Amino acid sequence: MSQPPGPMLKAAKTRRGRGAAQEGQSNEEHPVPGRAEQGIDEVRRRFVGAAAVSALVLAPGVSLFAYAEAGGNRAAGASSKRRWGLLIDTTRCKPSCTACVSACSSYNGWKNEGRPTDAQWIRKVQVSDPKTGFSRSVPVMCQHCGNAPCVEVCPTGASFRRADGIVLVDRHICIGCRFCMMACPYKARSFISENLTDQKPWAPRGKGTVEGCTLCVPRVDAGKIPACVEACSREGGGAMTFGDLKDPGSAIRRALAEHPSVQLRADLMLDTGVHYQGL
Amino acid sequence: MSAIHYREIDGQSAGFWGLAALLAVLMAAGLTAAYFMAHIGHIITGMTNQVVWGVPHVFAVFLIVAASGALNTASIASVFGKVAYKPLARLSGLLAIALLLGGLAILVLDLGRPDRLGIAMTHYNFRSIFAWNIFLYTGFVAVTGWYLWVMMERRLNRYTRMVGTAAFLWRLILTTGTGSIFGFLVARQPYDEAIMAPMFIGMSFSFGLAIFILVLMAVFKGTGRSLGDEILMRLKNLLGVFAAAVLYFLLAFHITKLYEAEFRGAEAFLLWDGGIYTFLFWFGAVFLGGALPMLLFWLPQTRRSRAAVGWGSASVVVGGLALMYDIIIGGQAWPLSIFPGMHVSSSFYDGVVNFYAPSLPECALALGGCALALFITLFALKLLPFLPETLADEEA
């Protein structure tokens, strides 16, 4: 398997202060953007600069992407002043539409070929009430919980929650124990069971580790919206809203304030970052 | 009681080397399987993104649970002062370490990245029961090793009770930790009960003692040493009580689940119409793991039979493996309830009972771990005096 190092890979290494030789197995390593609240902005700033220079020198093909993705929002980083979240209006989600799934798959480079070992970062779940006939089509992905069970159970701390609420897997230290998959109530994580090819430089993946929706963190850090949200507004019913749950003026907060919404498995009190309306 | 004389086993017979060779072959098969799992990936196993823990985990957790139970005999002698069990204490400690190492080997080699064992040993998230278990398991080996040392070194014998008590407490905490791996899984309806921690302690008492009895009978028979009825009957009576305790915990566990409406679907699956999982629960866990051994141990026709002790112990082991399969695989076969009360379907197998069929490599890895445990035991018995020369009944 070959895979260009990519700007995000450099991000993780810079953050940890370790070189490629110490990391080893770098062709299967993964990005770990902004891990802790403390000092993250500073680390990120240093990294973005280093990544940009490195990319310019070492990988001209990738450097364009580095500028495009990382350049737009250099000073932003992961801040606890934000809580990124999604609102999904299921009344606008068409059962036949899989634009969000296709966009996620295309952007992040995972493929569902119908095998039970295939990764699926997002899926459409057809939901119907057998007693009333009420039905909905619901995109389900990592719910980016405030009290994430995957983070709690991970023995090495590879599952972690960024200061801005995005839950990620640090695939440098994921040992592939799959305890997070046992603990996740949403079946949001996938284990990579075989070697992969044709990976995206900004979303490197690795055999033997666990992965899931990153809320398109490279895009978010670059000031963009996740690929699924963009695709939904462009090709779907405009059912998905992305934004800062802590900003009272954001579209997502206003929509949540105006209409009732639910969190999946709200009884578990996981404080999910993903909310649903119309369920 | 007269003085106990311990002696190594000769380990020269064809039977010894034949067994050693068989275990070596099984270990090599396990290592080969682990190599291919690491090199090619878990795609060669039956595990999927639906059933993420498979047969390796069934055997690994079984061995780890049994390991702490294998220490029962030593604990009874050292902590509770029952001198009749004292000659068996060394073997008890040895088996505890060997079984734990066998289970740990399986767990580690099944990791998606077994090459990152160093990371597992240096990066800790102390909110994770898994992280705690890394300490509990390695600490158990250390404490039990220390316990064996004070038992086997005459000058240190006076510390036996103190160290034995530490080992006893450690094993209780260890099995609590193992049961809590499942008990803490609030996301999955077949788990999510605090009683799983004490239930695993009950299971450890039963499985560990059953393996201990089988090894004891096999080694004494193989080496021609005398094993009296008195100690064997004491042990099988104890095993009968432990088997009954497991049934009690299972009853309390499932009654609690059945009482809560949200769990009834999962319970109906596991107890009534879950196919292999229902069969494994009733025939495996309840009949083989509990009812049959109790009948063999206490029916008037068989209660003094040594063969019944052996068959009853083997039945507990097979029933224990069935129960572990039922808990680990059956618990994952039941789909997650993301939308309670709704019918659901998706490309990711939401709402359907998940399929799992173990593959040859994962079975080889699991058996390799069992072989490692027995291999360690076999050669430890040859190298050091773990076994008394005789356990014949004393003349009145």
Side-chain angles (χ1 to χ4, degrees), chain B residues 234-299:
Chain B
R234 272 176 180 259
L235 288 171
K236 66 97 175 165
N237 281 335
L238 199 56
L239 181 56
V241 172
F242 291 160
V246 173
L247 289 185
Y248 165 77
F249 277 118
L250 284 175
L251 180 71
F253 175 76
H254 285 293
I255 289 284
T256 309
K257 287 279 187 199
L258 284 165
Y259 202 75
E260 298 169 71
E262 65 166 310
F263 296 129
R264 284 179 197 155
E267 284 298 295
F269 170 71
L270 291 170
L271 301 180
W272 185 249
D273 57 5
I276 181 70
Y277 305 109
T278 303
F279 173 78
L280 286 176
F281 179 78
W282 290 109
F283 183 74
V286 174
F287 179 70
L288 292 180
L292 180 62
M294 285 196 285
L295 290 173
L296 286 171
F297 295 159
W298 291 326
L299 275 180

Side-chain angles (χ1 to χ4, degrees), chain B residues 93-368:
Chain B
L94 168 64
L95 260 182
I97 291 177
L99 291 170
L100 193 89
L101 291 177
L104 280 184
I106 300 172
L107 267 193
V108 168
L109 292 174
D110 176 77
L111 291 175
R113 296 292 303 257
D115 55 312
R116 289 182 174 170
L117 183 61
I119 288 176
M121 305 297 283
T122 51
H123 291 67
Y124 291 108
N125 164 27
F126 287 107
R127 293 183 66 85
S128 167
I129 190 68
F130 244 32
W132 280 100
N133 279 343
I134 292 170
F135 283 100
L136 291 172
Y137 296 160
T138 49
F140 181 75
V141 172
V143 172
T144 308
W146 184 26
Y147 183 26
L148 279 174
W149 185 33
V150 300
M151 280 195 288
M152 296 174 81
E153 171 57 61
R154 194 178 297 275
R155 287 170 303 169
L156 299 175
N157 280 170
R158 63 183 183 279
Y159 300 115
T160 299
R161 181 164 192 158
M162 182 189 77
V163 181
T165 304
F168 177 67
L169 293 175
W170 197 285
R171 55 87 73 221
L172 289 180
I173 297 167
L174 181 148
T175 320
T176 300
T178 309
S180 297
I181 288 174
F182 300 95
F184 289 177
L185 289 177
V186 296
R188 294 183 182 266
Q189 293 172 334
Y191 307 129
D192 187 21
E193 290 290 346
I195 199 175
M196 294 192 86
M199 186 168 88
F200 269 57
I201 291 178
M203 285 156 59
S204 82
F205 278 22
S206 181
F207 307 162
L209 186 56
I211 292 174
F212 179 85
I213 292 173
L214 287 172
V215 169
L216 182 72
M217 291 178 77
V219 174
F220 271 66
K221 189 176 174 67
T223 55
R225 300 186 195 200
S226 178
L227 179 63
D229 276 348
E230 187 185 329
I231 189 71
L232 206 54
M233 295 306 139
R234 272 176 180 259
L235 288 171
K236 66 97 175 165
N237 281 335
L238 199 56
L239 181 56
V241 172
F242 291 160
V246 173
L247 289 185
Y248 165 77
F249 277 118
L250 284 175
L251 180 71
F253 175 76
H254 285 293
I255 289 284
T256 309
K257 287 279 187 199
L258 284 165
Y259 202 75
E260 298 169 71
E262 65 166 310
F263 296 129
R264 284 179 197 155
E267 284 298 295
F269 170 71
L270 291 170
L271 301 180
W272 185 249
D273 57 5
I276 181 70
Y277 305 109
T278 303
F279 173 78
L280 286 176
F281 179 78
W282 290 109
F283 183 74
V286 174
F287 179 70
L288 292 180
L292 180 62
M294 285 196 285
L295 290 173
L296 286 171
F297 295 159
W298 291 326
L299 275 180
Q301 294 86 343
T302 52
R303 58 193 293 265
R304 301 297 301 173
S305 158
R306 297 169 71 95
V309 176
W311 283 111
S313 301
S315 187
V316 167
V317 171
V318 174
L321 280 166
L323 176 57
M324 208 54 90
Y325 193 99
D326 194 58
I327 290 173
I328 295 178
I329 313 288
Q332 296 173 85
W334 182 248
L336 286 169
S337 176
I338 304 173
F339 300 90
M342 299 287 206
H343 280 170
V344 294
S345 63
S346 79
S347 61
F348 210 29
Y349 307 90
D350 285 284
V352 298
V353 170
N354 297 307
F355 174 77
Y356 171 76
S359 71
L360 183 62
E362 52 191 319
C363 293
L365 175 59
L367 290 177

Side-chain angles (χ1 to χ4, degrees), chain A residues 120 123 153 174 187 207, chain B residues 39 49 116 128 347-348 350:
Chain A
Q120 295 195 40
R123 63 198 189 270
V153 302
C174 173
K187 208 177 173 199
K207 180 188 72 186
Chain B
H39 192 66
N49 280 323
R116 289 182 174 170
S128 167
S347 61
F348 210 29
D350 285 284

